[in-house]
């Protein structure tokens, strides 16, 4: 495979990696960036997304040789000194491992729910750490897919991928549209929908039997789910101490999924 030495931070061949933080926030079209050895391994070994290139610190070339050997030989592997790599990225890439991949064609909600029995429906999650953690919990605790509304942040944002431990690279998901449409699609596919809320009037999750097809609906920390979404589902609460009003959304997802697995 082509190992390409990069000595100039302005080399057009590594344009996809320039000023990563700024471009992560403004978007980079169909491309996204993966950072770190663990997530690179998942990208190469299990991802559903096409790899466009790798960009490595020269000190990482030998330790990652087994991963590099598994990629298509036509995919370029760009290698640079750490200082050059940092100049390209716009901050210190101390892991020394980046890859650029393409999102490809978006998946359809109807196709995903048709093939699933347990899903997370995420509405209005604007924190990348929470989105990444929800994906990791979903993958670990038996969910088949994740549906995110258009107001939620991109699960293929670099930090979200890293927090997800790479599960966002293979767990089926859709990131588009209003949460109301996801609820309609899930119901049409035979799902019962539990809306997680701290309301005292909501059913205690410990008293509920898992339905054959279950979708767990969760909202952003702070505002939680709007009334309209809760009313479109079965309100469910996780019992907790009276001195605490709520759980982190990813934690709530993990508790609910664990109950669903029992």
């Amino acid at each position: 495979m082509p190992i390409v030495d990069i000595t100039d931070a302005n080399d057009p061949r590594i344009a996809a990696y320039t000023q990563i933080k700024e471009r992560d926030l403004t978007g980079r079209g169909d491309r996204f960036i993966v950072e770190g050895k663990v997530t690179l391994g998942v990208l190469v070994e299990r991802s559903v997304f096409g790899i466009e290139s790798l960009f490595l610190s020269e000190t990482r070339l030998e330790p990652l040789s087994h991963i590099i050997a598994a990629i298509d030989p036509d995919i370029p592997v760009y290698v640079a000194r750490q200082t050059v790599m940092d100049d390209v990225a716009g901050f210190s890439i101390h892991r020394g491992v980046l890859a650029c991949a393409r999102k490809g064609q978006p998946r359809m909600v109807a196709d995903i729910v048709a093939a699933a029995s347990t899903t997370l429906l995420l509405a209005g999650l604007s924190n990348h750490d929470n989105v990444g953690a929800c994906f990791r919990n979903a993958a670990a605790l038996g969910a088949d897919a994740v549906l995110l509304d258009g107001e939620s942040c991109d699960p293929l944002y670099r930090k979200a991928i890293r927090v997800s431990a790479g599960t966002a690279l293979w767990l089926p998901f859709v990131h588009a549209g209003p949460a109301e449409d996801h609820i309609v699609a899930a119901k049409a596919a035979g799902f019962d929908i539990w809306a997680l809320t701290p309301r005292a009037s909501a059913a205690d999750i410990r008293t509920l039997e898992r339905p054959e097809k279950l979708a767990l609906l969760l909202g952003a920390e702070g505002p939680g789910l709007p009334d309209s979404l809760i009313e479109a589902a079965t309100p469910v609460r996780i019992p907790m101490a009276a001195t605490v009003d709520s759980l982190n959304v990813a934690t709530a997802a993990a508790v609910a999924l664990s109950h669903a697995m029992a």
Side-chain angles (χ1 to χ4, degrees), residues 81-164:
R81 298 193 313 274
Q82 187 67 51
T83 54
V84 174
M85 193 174 193
D86 293 347
D87 286 344
V88 172
F91 66 103
S92 178
I93 302 291
H94 63 275
R95 293 177 177 86
V97 179
L98 296 172
C100 181
R102 287 191 175 273
K103 296 179 180 180
Q105 292 297 315
R107 283 165 280 193
M108 304 301 293
V109 173
D111 293 338
I112 284 183
V113 294
S117 61
T118 307
T119 67
L120 288 187
L121 308 185
L122 305 181
L125 267 65
S126 58
N127 182 289
H128 292 98
D129 291 317
N130 284 338
V131 167
C134 281
F135 267 80
R136 186 170 185 174
N137 292 340
L141 296 170
D144 306 296
V146 180
L147 304 182
L148 307 95
D149 67 352
E151 295 183 9
S152 295
C153 57
D154 189 352
L156 296 180
Y157 176 82
R158 178 174 47 90
K159 189 176 183 184
I161 294 172
R162 193 170 71 240
V163 174
S164 81

Side-chain angles (χ1 to χ4, degrees), residues 26-46:
T26 60
R28 57 180 73 246
D30 183 49
R31 293 183 174 94
F32 65 95
I33 298 297
V34 172
E35 178 185 5
K37 177 182 176 180
V38 171
T39 49
L40 175 62
V42 175
L43 179 68
V44 171
E45 296 167 7
R46 196 172 183 183

Side-chain angles (χ1 to χ4, degrees), residues 16 24 27 54 62 64-65 70 75 95 109 116 132 176 209 233 237 240 262:
D24 275 349
L54 273 58
E62 179 58 32
L64 295 176
S65 59
I75 294 172
R95 293 177 177 86
V109 173
E209 290 189 11
R237 63 181 172 86
M240 62 189 75

